Structures are given as C-alpha cells and as structure tokens.
C-alpha cells in the first residue's frame, strides 16, 4: 500500500462497521480517533476491549490501542479525513437520518481546507448531497464540495460498507469498494483513504449512484431469497423437497437460487429495500412484494408449529417445543431483527406448550423471552432435541451438524433450513 496523504482519520460511530474500520486503518499505522456517543463504549475501547462480537476483531483492536494508533473519544477532533458510520434506522416507512445530521454537525467546527468527509452509512439517494449542503451552511467560510462542481476546500464522498457480519475483517480488506465522489477530486481523495487498507478494486462513481448501489445489492439479495422462500411454500403444497429442487436447478449454468429459511433477518437485507421503496413508492412492486414474502415466512413457520403442537397434545402433559437457534443467521450471536427470535417469542406466548431453546452463541435468554413461563435456554443442543416433542430447526449453526438423525426419532421435525432434508 502506498504512503497516504491522510495521516489522521476520525471515525464517527463505533458499531459493527465503524469499530472494525477504525481498527483496521489504525493497524496500518495511521492515527485514528474513534468517536461514539456512548461513554461506556469509548471507555471499553480505550482499554483495548471491544463491545461487539466479530471474529478476530478483539485482537486487532487491542493491538491498535496498545500501539497508540487507535483512541476513542466522545467528541470528534481535527483530522485529515472523517468517516461517518452511524446507524440510519428505518421507522414508519421513512429512513431516520438524524444520526447522520448529528455527526455532520459535530465535525463541522473541526473542518479545514484539504479535509475529506466520507459517509458510509446506508442512506437514501441524495443524502450525501444534503450532508454537503448542511456542512456548507454551517461553514460558509469554507468551500464545501457540491455535486459536480469541481474545485473545493472540503471534499465529500459516499462509500458504502459491504462487509458480511462474521467475515468483517477479511471483507473490509479484500472486497472491492464503490467510491462515490461529489466531484472527481473528491472521489480521488476518498480512493486514497480506502487504499490505506483495502486491497480490492476501488470503483469510482458519483455519490448518488454509490448510495443506490448499496441499496441495490441488498435488495437484489432480498428479492432472490424471497424467490427461494416462495418456492419452499409452493413445494410443500406439491410434496416436493425444495432443498433437492434448488440443488438440482442450480446445476444449470445460469441459475443460482438462494436458500429458503424462516424469514430474512439482520439490520441490512430486511431493511435496505425499504429505502428504495420510500424513494420511488409507485415503481417498486417487485421489491416491496419480496419484502412482504420474506416478512411473511415466520408466520408460515408458526402455523406449522401450531399444527404440530396440536397434534402432540395428549392431555397428560404439555408438549415440549425444542427451538434450535435464535440468531438472525448461522454462526453469529446477533439477534437483531431475527426471524428465529420472532418465532421463539410467538411460540413462548402460546401458553399451551413448554419451550426449550438452544442458542450456542448466547449465555442468557433475551429479555423478550426470559420472563416467559415454561421457556428455558439450554447450553446442550442434544438436550433441547431429547426433551422436545416438536423440534424446530431455525438457524443452521455449524455446531448443529453434530445432531444425529437418530436423535430425531419419534419427534415432529420442522426443518426451516433444510439441514436434515
Ligand atoms: N438468508 C436466507 N437465505 C439465503 C441467504 C441468507 O434466508 O440464501 C437470510 C439469513 O439467514 C439472514 C438474512 O438472509 O436472516 C441476511 O443474511 P445475509 O448473510 O444474506 O446478509 P447480512 O445481512 O449478514 O449482510 C448483508 C450482505 N449483503 C449482501 O450479501 C448483498 C453484506 O455484504 C452487507 O454488507 C450487509 O448486508 C450490510 O451491512 O448491508
């Protein structure tokens, strides 16, 4: 990697994206100040510890802090480049950009000529333009980049993150990045920033296209998972094994169907397509329907569980439902927007069955389940299977591959991930 013009970087938001990004840049010997509004997060990072679960991130962060390259703070300070990686939640059909505006307001007093400001947070098209306009309003003494107008004091760009939780450190470095500059010069300076740590291709475009590119990638995946989920329902009606079907169809050189599941979770794929729907509500029938298909899948699974519980109810004792997995996808501990958790909450609320939950990546049940009568977490997945009359496979964690077929004998099995198909 070449010597960068950018010697000090300020990263705003030390969450699932900001913290790994700050740590990786610092690991290249660049001075990094990570900023977060939560004092407890700042204190922890300054001790060389992390507050999120991501393979190997603890060691990279600890080393960067020990070497003096990474510090955390609750307030931004002057730097050469600012990266904004704050949450952009979606409420009531609208993207909530408050954290972006707060972050922009917080760095405005620090800006000097020659600076670069990059927005990484998932955002509706046009957000970077609005952020630049806000900075221009707050700092009339500086020429802040505006779309397509070359010649500025402060460069502005949009560069979406694209890393897969669980593989963040590898993908941060190896994935190609779309670098959307307000101007050519902005894109060139942003490219310098990403070259510090990124070995993938850096693909230049304008900010608006880069914003849409991020949304498009996740909507593409959502639409394709919806196709698989719809197929799984059709196949069940037609008495066809969907997993075998998908495997066979994928032998065609131009077919690549994704895997059906209990629904789509996480804070990206289940959310980002709505940003496109919000931007063009009358022209997004497919994207909206895909969201509805995926959001409808937990209810479909719940109906199957209800039928199985009714079938097992004998009058002598309450049937036991064994739920395997709560996370939003395999091999992570993240329960946010998890369809498995949504299903578990609804089963726990039924009141006509006991529930044994296995989730190898957590130590305590989340609050939404912890108070339910007849719900308990076990660290032993085999026990969850052994005690259950109805076994529901919700998350195909690698560890579950050790559950033998014999253990399922005599039980009603609802396998939403096809691991026993
Ligand atoms: N899922 C299925 N079937 C599949 C694949 C996934 O049901 O065949 C489900 C998962 O179980 C999970 C959900 O979809 O509930 C999303 O999981 P994921 O692994 O597809 O994606 P995320 O949310 O972990 O990360 C995505 C990635 N985007 C794409 O692959 C296009 C990642 O690269 C992005 O950086 C991330 O969103 C983000 O932050 O936007």
């Amino acid at each position: 990697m070449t010597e960068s013009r950018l010697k000090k970087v300020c990263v705003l938001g030390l969450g699932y994206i900001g913290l790994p990004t700050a740590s990786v840049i610092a690991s290249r010997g660049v001075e990094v100040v990570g900023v977060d509004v939560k004092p407890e997060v700042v204190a922890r990072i300054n001790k060389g510890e992390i507050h999120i679960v991501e393979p190997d991130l603890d060691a990279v962060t600890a080393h960067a802090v020990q070497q003096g390259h990474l510090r955390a703070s609750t307030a931004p300070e002057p730097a050469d480049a600012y990266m904004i990686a704050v949450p952009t939640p979606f409420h009531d059909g609208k993207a909530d950009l408050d954290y972006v505006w707060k972050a922009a307001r917080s760095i405005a007093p620090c800006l000097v000529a020659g600076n670069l400001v990059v927005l990484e947070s998932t955002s509706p098209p046009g957000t970077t333009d609005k952020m630049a306009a806000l900075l221009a309003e707050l700092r009339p003494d500086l020429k802040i980049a505006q779309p397509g107008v070359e010649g500025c004091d402060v460069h502005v760009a949009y560069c979406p993150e694209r890393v897969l939780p669980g593989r963040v450190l590898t993908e941060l470095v190896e994935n190609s990045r779309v670098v959307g500059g307000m101007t050519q010069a902005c894109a060139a300076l942003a490219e310098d920033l990403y070259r510090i740590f990124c070995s993938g291709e850096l693909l230049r475009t304008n900010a608006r296209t880069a914003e849409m590119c991020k949304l498009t990638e996740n909507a593409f995946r959502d639409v394709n998972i919806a196709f698989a989920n719809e197929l799984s329902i059709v196949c069940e009606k037609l008495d066809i094994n969907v997993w075998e079907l998908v495997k066979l169809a994928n032998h065609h050189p131009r077919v690549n169907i994704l895997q059906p599941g209990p629904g789509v979770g996480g804070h990206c794929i289940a959310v980002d397509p709505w940003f496109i729907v919000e931007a063009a509500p009358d022209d997004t029938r497919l994207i909206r329907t895909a969201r509805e298909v995926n959001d409808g899948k937990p209810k479909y699974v719940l109906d199957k569980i209800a039928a199985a519980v009714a079938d097992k109810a004998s009058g002598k004792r309450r049937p036991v439902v064994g739920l395997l997995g709560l996370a939003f996808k395999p091999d992570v501990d993240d329960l946010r927007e998890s369809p498995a958790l949504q299903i578990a909450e609804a089963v726990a609320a039924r009141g006509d069955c006991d529930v044994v939950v296995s989730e190898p990546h957590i130590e305590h049940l989340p609050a939404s389940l912890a108070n339910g009568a007849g719900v308990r977490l076990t660290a032993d997945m085999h026990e969850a299977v052994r005690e259950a009359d109805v076994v529901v496979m919700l998350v195909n964690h690698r560890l579950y591959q050790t559950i033998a077929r014999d253990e399922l004998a005599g039980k009603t099995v609802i396998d939403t991930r096809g691991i026993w198909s």
Side-chain angles (χ1 to χ4, degrees):
M1 316 249 156
T2 47
E3 177 78 0
S4 171
R5 295 182 259 179
L6 305 163
K7 305 285 182 218
K8 182 173 173 186
V9 178
C10 185
V11 178
L12 291 102
L14 295 174
Y16 280 82
I17 300 303
L19 180 58
T21 306
S23 303
V24 167
I25 297 176
S27 75
R28 303 295 193 263
V30 174
E31 182 184 355
V32 179
V33 182
V35 179
D36 203 282
V37 289
K38 293 186 188 137
E40 64 278 13
V41 167
V42 166
R44 216 155 157 189
I45 293 167
N46 282 332
K47 278 195 256 164
E49 295 169 7
I50 61 173
H51 62 291
I52 56 175
V53 175
E54 179 60 40
D56 306 326
L57 178 63
D58 49 355
V60 179
T61 305
H63 190 249
V65 172
Q66 272 159 20
Q67 296 289 304
H69 296 311
L70 175 63
R71 265 177 310 117
S73 168
T74 50
E77 55 185 75
D80 299 314
Y82 298 85
M83 299 172 93
I84 300 180
V86 295
T88 47
F90 198 84
H91 304 301
D92 307 324
K94 268 186 85 64
D96 175 356
L97 301 173
D98 264 11
Y99 296 113
V100 174
W101 310 143
K102 279 196 183 113
R105 284 181 186 283
S106 76
I107 59 171
C110 304
L111 294 177
V112 295
N115 277 172
L116 167 69
V117 180
V118 183
L119 178 61
E120 284 212 2
S121 312
T122 301
S123 303
T127 305
T128 312
D129 294 1
K130 285 188 194 148
M131 184 184 77
L134 174 63
L135 292 174
E137 188 189 312
L138 295 168
R139 291 298 303 270
D141 54 318
L142 286 170
K143 200 166 167 211
I144 310 279
Q146 297 303 316
V149 185
E150 292 296 337
C152 61
D153 295 328
V154 175
H155 300 79
V156 179
Y158 180 79
C159 181
E161 60 81 14
R162 300 159 119 183
V163 288
L164 197 70
R167 282 181 44 81
V168 168
L169 288 180
T170 309
E171 294 208 355
L172 255 185
V173 174
E174 292 178 5
N175 285 6
S176 61
R177 301 284 302 231
V178 175
V179 181
M182 298 290 280
T183 65
Q184 293 287 341
C186 294
L189 191 57
E191 206 176 308
D192 280 2
L193 173 63
Y194 288 94
R195 216 15 108 213
I196 294 173
F197 63 97
C198 179
S199 62
E201 260 187 283
L202 299 176
L203 307 157
R204 281 197 209 176
T205 181
N206 59 42
R208 193 172 269 267
T209 307
E211 289 162 340
M212 189 63 179
C213 191
K214 164 73 188 187
L215 303 176
T216 300
E217 290 160 8
N218 282 352
F220 172 85
R221 197 155 166 84
D222 196 47
V223 168
N224 282 280
I225 298 170
F227 179 73
N229 277 336
E230 188 162 285
L231 264 187
S232 72
I233 294 171
V234 172
C235 282
E236 190 138 0
K237 286 226 167 89
L238 302 181
D239 196 20
I240 291 167
N241 179 329
V242 71
W243 316 100
E244 186 194 2
L245 174 78
V246 168
K247 217 183 258 171
L248 292 172
N250 283 350
H251 277 273
H252 185 289
R254 286 174 295 283
V255 173
N256 187 12
I257 303 168
L258 292 177
Q259 297 299 304
V264 168
H267 34 284
C268 307
I269 302 225
V271 179
D272 297 0
W274 290 120
F275 285 63
I276 305 183
V277 175
E278 183 199 358
D282 297 332
D283 305 301
T284 38
R285 275 189 301 154
L286 179 65
I287 295 172
R288 182 196 297 270
T289 303
R291 273 286 66 246
E292 287 165 357
V293 167
N294 287 335
D295 277 353
K297 198 69 198 292
K299 164 84 171 60
Y300 178 80
V301 176
L302 278 167
D303 288 346
K304 288 177 64 163
I305 297 173
V309 167
D311 200 41
K312 291 284 180 185
S314 65
K316 265 194 266 155
R317 68 171 181 89
R318 284 146 63 89
V320 179
V321 178
L323 299 176
L324 299 178
L326 287 181
F328 89 89
K329 68 176 196 172
D331 306 319
V332 299
D333 70 331
D334 193 342
L335 307 189
R336 288 179 298 170
E337 318 282 339
S338 169
L341 178 60
Q342 192 187 331
I343 290 167
E345 287 164 357
V347 176
R350 291 181 58 84
D352 59 354
C353 55
D354 288 333
V355 184
V356 189
V357 178
S358 152
E359 176 42 79
H361 299 92
I362 61 170
E363 278 167 18
H364 307 285
L365 282 176
S368 61
L369 285 177
N371 302 325
V375 185
R376 67 182 186 86
L377 178 71
T378 171
D380 178 359
M381 59 190 155
H382 301 284
E383 181 187 308
V385 173
R386 195 166 54 241
E387 289 190 2
D389 301 296
V390 179
V391 177
V392 191
M393 164 54 68
L394 291 170
V395 189
N396 43 335
H397 291 309
R398 252 180 307 227
L399 277 171
Y400 290 153
Q401 283 165 6
T402 61
I403 298 172
R405 298 284 176 103
D406 311 354
E407 297 178 51
L408 304 170
K411 299 170 189 300
T412 302
V413 176
I414 300 172
D415 178 4
T416 71
R417 298 283 185 168
I419 81 165
W420 296 311
S421 71

